[in-house]
Amino acid sequence: MARRPPGTATLLGIARACADVFVAAGDSSPTVATLVAASGVSERSFHRYFPTKPDCLRPLFDDGNAAYAAALAAQPADLPLGEAVTRAFVAANHTMSDADSRAFMRTVFGDLALRRVWLEASYATAAVLRPAVAARIGAPEHAVATTVACGQAIVLAISALAHMVEDGLTAHEAAAAAGAALFAGVRHE
């Protein structure tokens, strides 16, 4: 009998446990054996679920990106895109304290292998954001304007995370600063 793939909650639990190990080490140096011990799965299962060791963080990134898209969709329809994505970023980052977010992202930014997985997940965020962004700007999902607006939402998140780490800002402060810089004088109609 074939085994069922693990559910999202299981993969997310593994990713969180592995993230704690990476943050404690400050990089991706912990062995798969260490990650397996922390996450409670077998080494065989770990390799079945994740193509590479850093890929074990992908469920965490994907969950954050899905939370960002959901938070954007939940913003009042009358908010302009800049304000809506700024608020959505803050809302999506409520599951982790600012200090924990900074420690995690500092580890990700400082390690090429972890950063690669995060950048891949960040790029894939456009597809997740597309329906909410298209509805907000009143454009078809595959319009150039929607693609550009999704890019702006992603740049806001990347910039805010970078300044949370670099400047010690809270999620709210970093999103507000990134939103002000990114959307100053820009209107979507």
Side-chain angles (χ1 to χ4, degrees):
M1 181 162 109
R3 291 182 186 209
R4 288 189 338 213
T8 303
T10 299
L11 291 175
L12 195 53
I14 295 166
R16 285 187 177 124
C18 293
D20 290 343
V21 172
F22 288 138
V23 169
D27 59 22
S28 64
S29 65
T31 64
V32 169
T34 303
L35 297 172
V36 163
S39 64
V41 298
S42 71
E43 190 164 336
R44 182 175 176 178
S45 292
F46 185 92
H47 287 295
R48 189 174 337 146
Y49 303 157
F50 309 112
T52 69
K53 181 172 64 170
D55 283 318
C56 70
L57 294 182
R58 183 65 188 256
L60 195 57
F61 298 138
D62 289 344
D63 184 66
N65 293 337
Y68 187 31
L72 179 58
Q75 296 304 309
D78 61 335
L79 287 181
L81 180 67
E83 189 172 345
V85 295
T86 299
R87 288 182 180 191
F89 176 84
V90 174
N93 281 283
H94 77 281
T95 60
M96 237 186 219
S97 72
D98 288 334
D100 288 344
S101 290
R102 278 192 292 275
F104 177 60
M105 292 311 300
R106 182 177 294 112
T107 302
V108 170
F109 290 158
D111 186 280
L112 183 60
L114 300 178
R115 189 169 61 240
R116 174 196 56 83
V117 175
W118 174 70
L119 287 170
E120 287 172 358
S122 296
Y123 182 80
T125 305
V128 179
L129 290 170
R130 194 169 284 281
V133 168
R136 180 156 307 276
I137 66 170
E141 283 191 31
H142 294 289
V144 171
T146 303
T147 301
V148 170
C150 287
Q152 289 175 301
I154 294 166
V155 167
L156 180 131
I158 291 170
S159 301
L161 288 167
H163 286 279
M164 285 178 71
V165 170
E166 293 171 14
D167 302 331
L169 300 178
T170 65
H172 183 270
E173 293 166 337
L182 184 61
F183 293 100
V186 176
R187 294 185 62 197
H188 290 279
E189 299 180 332

